[in-house]
Amino acid sequence: MNKDMLIYPLFVQEGTGIHQEIPAMPGQYRYSPDKLCAAVDQIAGTGVRAILLFGIPQQKDETGTGAWAESGIVQKSVRLVKQEFPDMLVITDVCLCGYTSHGHCGVLDGEKVDNDKTLPLLAKTALSHAQAGADVVAPSDMMDGRVKAIRDMLDAQGCHDVPVMSYAVKYASSFYGPFRDAVGSAPAFGDRKTYQMDFHNAKEAVREALLDVDEGADMLIVKPALSYLDIVSSVSRHINIPVAAYSVSGEYSMIKAAAKAGYIDETAVAYESALSMIRAGADILITYYAKDLARWLNEGRIG
Ligand code: PBG
């Protein structure tokens, strides 16, 4: 493990003076833009060089218009961070679920998510992030065909050099629970099983990964990580672009809670769990433990 492999997810919220701990994720916070640079300074201080931004807008609507607003929360935050920390790699999560009133990752047709009507909206969102200065865009919505839609849009608008890091293999997982509380994106009805993947199915992983490579993805994400090491392993063996494992909110919260109760050694377990993802074949780790892992590496406590 080394610090260059680590990506730290960060929640930015519209407003001022917000530096608010997320109840189900002790040690993780929501920041308003005015508090963001202090947080990034601290992250940079540990040696972590990449962040993944999630936005929490003030208002949500039926189609998620806040996702591509020029002065939207992510767009604003990207500009701020890139201005103050030009060397920090800024990746943005591209999805509508945090911006739609119903909490689904795409636009609705009745009670169904309309895959194809969602694609141009995701492409617009990715473009607005790139134009604000995002280094990498990371679509997490799981609509079919969105990598191509985003790539085509970025290329048509002169953003050829912005890579797409696609959540290619993302399961409909209960491990996302704490995250949905953090951003208030739990679906108002139904579930995400028509667009996220069924965890009973292992073979679909490589097929989904190959589709995204074909559509122009530059890096892939497998998510969640810890219960999906077999998937990380098979995807990384079949795919010749970098593979990231996303150790999601529920994985973090479980370690935190067990450590708080005194049942496990937090440093040792967080390290062992992260290392297992690398052993399985992940080139990159997206983890809420990124700062801690970097600090522990600096202190020689792990390595
Ligand atoms: C948005 C998105 C989710 C996560 C990342 N991007 C939630 C979801 O799909 O419901 C989960 C991250 C985590 O649990 O840490 N679609």
Side-chain angles (χ1 to χ4, degrees), residues 4 26-27 36 41 44 52 73 76 80 82 104 115 119 138 140 158 210 236 263 274 293 303:
D4 289 349
L36 181 58
D41 193 41
L52 171 60
I73 178 66
K76 204 174 350 189
L80 272 172
K82 287 308 291 185
H104 277 289
N115 187 95
L119 299 181
S140 69
L210 287 170
S236 75
Y263 297 156
L293 289 167

Side-chain angles (χ1 to χ4, degrees), residues 57-170:
Q58 199 109 55
Q59 277 161 5
K60 305 185 187 220
D61 58 30
E62 191 65 21
T63 50
T65 55
W68 59 87
E70 202 194 321
S71 58
I73 178 66
V74 167
Q75 292 79 355
K76 204 174 350 189
S77 302
V78 170
R79 279 188 216 103
L80 272 172
V81 174
K82 287 308 291 185
Q83 197 171 9
E84 290 277 322
F85 305 91
D87 295 335
M88 179 61 77
L89 189 88
V90 177
I91 309 167
T92 56
D93 184 82
V94 174
C95 194
L96 303 185
C97 65
Y99 302 85
T100 52
S101 42
H102 45 77
H104 277 289
C105 302
V107 286
L108 298 181
D109 178 12
E111 294 228 325
K112 279 194 177 155
V113 172
D114 189 321
N115 187 95
D116 291 6
K117 270 196 211 145
T118 304
L119 299 181
L121 307 183
L122 294 166
K124 266 205 285 200
T125 302
L127 178 65
S128 73
H129 292 179
Q131 286 174 336
D135 297 298
V136 181
V137 292
S140 69
D141 53 280
M142 289 302 279
M143 299 302 128
D144 292 331
R146 93 284 202 195
V147 172
K148 182 171 181 340
I150 289 172
R151 185 72 269 157
D152 286 350
M153 174 69 101
L154 292 175
D155 287 349
Q157 299 296 325
C159 298
H160 310 92
D161 52 355
V162 176
V164 176
M165 180 184 214
S166 133
Y167 290 72
V169 185
K170 177 173 174 179

Side-chain angles (χ1 to χ4, degrees), residues 9 11 25 52 54 93-98 103 105 138-142 167 170-173 175-180 183 185-187 192 195-196 223-224 246-252 288:
F11 300 100
M25 302 173 72
L52 171 60
F54 291 94
D93 184 82
V94 174
C95 194
L96 303 185
C97 65
C105 302
S140 69
D141 53 280
M142 289 302 279
Y167 290 72
K170 177 173 174 179
Y171 288 91
S173 169
F175 283 95
Y176 308 148
F179 173 95
R180 290 179 188 172
V183 306
S185 69
R192 302 210 203 288
Y195 41 103
Q196 298 184 353
K223 177 183 172 191
Y246 192 147
S247 182
V248 300
S249 54
E251 299 175 37
Y252 174 83
Y288 302 97

